[in-house]
Amino acid sequence: MEAAISARAIEAATALEVPHPHPDRASSLTRTEISALLTALASAGLVLPARVGGFTTDGRF
């Protein structure tokens, strides 16, 4: 799931011209990178569903 979130976040960042990491196709962003990127996307005006939050206590996003 994190790989899918990473891919979509990078696509959104590219579309909105938000600086973002460029992992190779085989890897995904770290949790820290995903969190920072989602924060940057929200600051750029991307509206995320209200239910989106941080990682859960058991490590899920």
Side-chain angles (χ1 to χ4, degrees):
M1 181 163 170
E2 290 174 21
I5 293 169
S6 296
R8 300 298 78 81
I10 289 171
E11 289 174 354
T14 300
L16 295 173
E17 298 180 353
V18 171
H20 59 282
H22 297 277
D24 65 27
R25 291 182 182 263
S27 67
S28 63
L29 302 178
T30 66
R31 290 178 181 173
T32 301
E33 290 171 323
I34 292 170
S35 180
L37 183 52
L38 291 177
T39 299
L41 288 168
S43 294
L46 182 71
V47 178
L48 299 173
R51 296 181 74 194
V52 172
F55 288 95
T56 61
T57 55
D58 64 353
R60 293 177 294 120
F61 188 72

